[in-house]
């Protein structure tokens, strides 16, 4: 088991709640995004955090 992941509850459109396993860095970034923009739901915040992390890594690789 990877120690760098945590389970995050995500509400599905049906109303059910699922726990997704995500890297801690993405979960922390998603929490920060939700604090900055309370209108973001859990899924959107996680998706945005993942995209930002991928973009950051791509830019680092180009340098």
């Amino acid at each position: 088991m990877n120690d760098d992941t945590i389970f995050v509850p995500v509400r599905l459109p049906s109303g059910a709640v699922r726990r997704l396993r995500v890297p801690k860095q993405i979960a922390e970034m998603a929490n920060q995004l939700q604090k900055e923009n309370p209108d973001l739901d859990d899924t959107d915040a996680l998706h945005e955090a993942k995209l930002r992390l991928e973009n950051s890594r791509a830019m680092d690789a180009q340098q």
Side-chain angles (χ1 to χ4, degrees):
M1 183 184 265
N2 187 348
D3 292 337
D4 199 26
T5 61
I6 60 173
F7 288 97
V8 178
V10 175
R11 185 169 305 280
L12 301 175
S14 66
V17 176
R18 283 277 162 104
R19 290 179 4 146
L20 296 179
R21 188 177 188 174
V22 297
K24 286 182 184 179
Q25 188 176 10
I26 291 177
E28 291 168 355
M29 193 180 297
N31 285 338
Q32 184 63 35
L33 286 169
Q34 283 186 305
K35 287 179 184 174
E36 294 170 2
N37 186 358
D39 294 336
L40 275 180
D41 67 7
D42 295 338
T43 305
D44 291 338
L46 286 169
H47 184 256
E48 181 65 26
K50 180 179 177 271
L51 290 176
R52 288 185 183 191
L53 184 61
E54 287 174 349
N55 287 338
S56 173
R57 287 182 180 167
M59 290 180 74
D60 289 345
Q62 288 178 352
Q63 291 180 357

